[in-house]
Amino acid sequence: MDKKQQPTDKLLSEVYKQFENDEKGQELQFLNAAFDFLNRRSAILAKPGISTKVLQMVHSHIDIAKKQEIESQSLNQKKTSGITSETTKSISENEAKQLMDVDKEDNGNFNDLDKESDEDNGPPPPPGNGGKTDKYVWTQSLSEVEVTLEIDANLRGKNLKIVIKKRHLFVAIKGNESTPIIDGKLSSDVDIDDSTWTLDKDNNKSTKTITITLTKLKGMTWWDCVIIGDPKIDTSKIEPENSKLDSLDDETRQTVEKMMFDQRQKMRGLPTSKEIEQQKILEKFKSQHPEMDFSNLQNVGMPSAFSNQ
């Protein structure tokens, strides 16, 4: 343990114990208490752009926790079929060897599947379901996109020219409009009236942060980039838990999850939920009418994903 962490660990451990019997969960109540303390002692959570920084911090700790869990599992929890030294004592040597061989084969297949899955999935999206370029970082929710970029700390709002149009974003320092920081067509339409920008100074940084909030005109969709031509993210990798689906009503949540499923299916060249349903209807109809010839039906509007079935 880092010596610098020892004093704070002792204090935090005492606070942590206060929620030991909390029915809502000790860990979550501890985190909630920390945020409640900040709200009562400061206004940091109300500052423009702070949501992005907090999300990045949370996701950073989540990534560390996941890595530690994976390392722990690989060291202490290897996948086995339950064959132990006690098991081998109660069966013959040949039987034990056969079982161990099966176990090794299963592990090999399991690892191959994991490897294939990792290769298919690729890297996860950056925190906040967004991405970054050499000029800005962006995150998104179902309703809005947040773009942040760093500028010289000596600049003020009056030194900036930021123009948000329905399908275009322009960011430049006045006097240097010919070489803008951002100038391009947006990935999708935005609501000009609800879109805005702020300039914020963090005392711990030598720069200022421009935070541009773009309200999506067409909600319930994911952007793969902010400016057309900039690097894209794979929207099929967006995870529901990163998208605050818990805050949506049941009907809206079902719509979003269906949309995300269809998006992932299309990216993989697989049938969408509608195509799957159509196939089920067709199969039912075929079973009810065995006297009919359906051999040429695939050429009449059936999804290509079913052509090999």
Side-chain angles (χ1 to χ4, degrees), residues 222-239:
W222 300 112
W223 289 16
D224 57 8
C225 65
V226 178
I227 302 297
I228 293 176
D230 281 352
K232 293 183 178 182
I233 65 166
D234 184 353
T235 55
S236 68
K237 299 295 190 289
I238 292 178
E239 297 293 340

Side-chain angles (χ1 to χ4, degrees), residues 37-198:
F37 176 80
L38 280 176
N39 273 331
R40 288 185 283 106
R41 294 298 182 96
S42 75
I44 186 172
L45 295 179
K47 287 186 176 181
I50 196 65
S51 60
T52 300
K53 297 174 184 177
V54 171
L55 277 173
Q56 289 174 340
M57 187 182 297
V58 170
H59 280 286
S60 175
H61 284 289
I62 289 174
D63 288 341
I64 292 172
K66 286 182 177 179
K67 288 178 182 177
Q68 291 175 341
E69 180 67 15
I70 291 171
E71 290 174 359
S72 175
Q73 288 180 355
S74 65
L75 289 174
N76 303 318
Q77 297 180 1
K78 293 182 179 179
K79 184 178 182 292
T80 71
S81 60
I83 307 302
T84 64
S85 58
E86 293 300 319
T87 307
T88 55
K89 287 178 183 178
S90 62
I91 60 179
S92 70
E93 184 178 346
N94 288 334
E95 289 174 329
K97 185 177 184 302
Q98 289 174 359
L99 285 173
M100 295 298 285
D101 288 341
V102 169
D103 183 46
K104 288 178 181 178
E105 183 179 349
D106 288 344
N107 276 330
N109 294 334
F110 178 80
N111 292 332
D112 288 342
L113 287 173
D114 272 356
K115 184 177 180 181
E116 289 174 6
S117 176
D118 290 342
E119 290 173 353
D120 290 341
N121 292 337
N129 298 324
K132 64 179 180 179
T133 71
D134 57 345
K135 296 180 179 179
Y136 62 86
V137 175
W138 66 283
T139 59
Q140 67 175 318
S141 66
L142 286 166
S143 58
E144 65 182 28
V145 174
E146 189 172 270
V147 180
T148 59
L149 55 151
E150 304 298 318
I151 61 170
D152 190 292
N154 295 319
L155 294 172
R156 302 173 66 181
K158 65 180 182 180
N159 302 127
L160 304 174
K161 183 176 181 180
I162 300 178
V163 182
I164 303 173
K165 295 184 179 181
K166 186 176 181 179
R167 198 67 186 270
H168 195 276
L169 178 63
F170 181 88
V171 180
I173 298 172
K174 288 182 178 179
N176 294 319
E177 288 91 345
S178 59
T179 55
I181 303 172
I182 299 176
D183 182 19
K185 187 177 181 180
L186 291 168
S187 180
S188 189
D189 294 345
V190 298
D191 187 329
I192 302 174
D193 295 332
D194 284 344
S195 299
T196 186
W197 66 273
T198 59

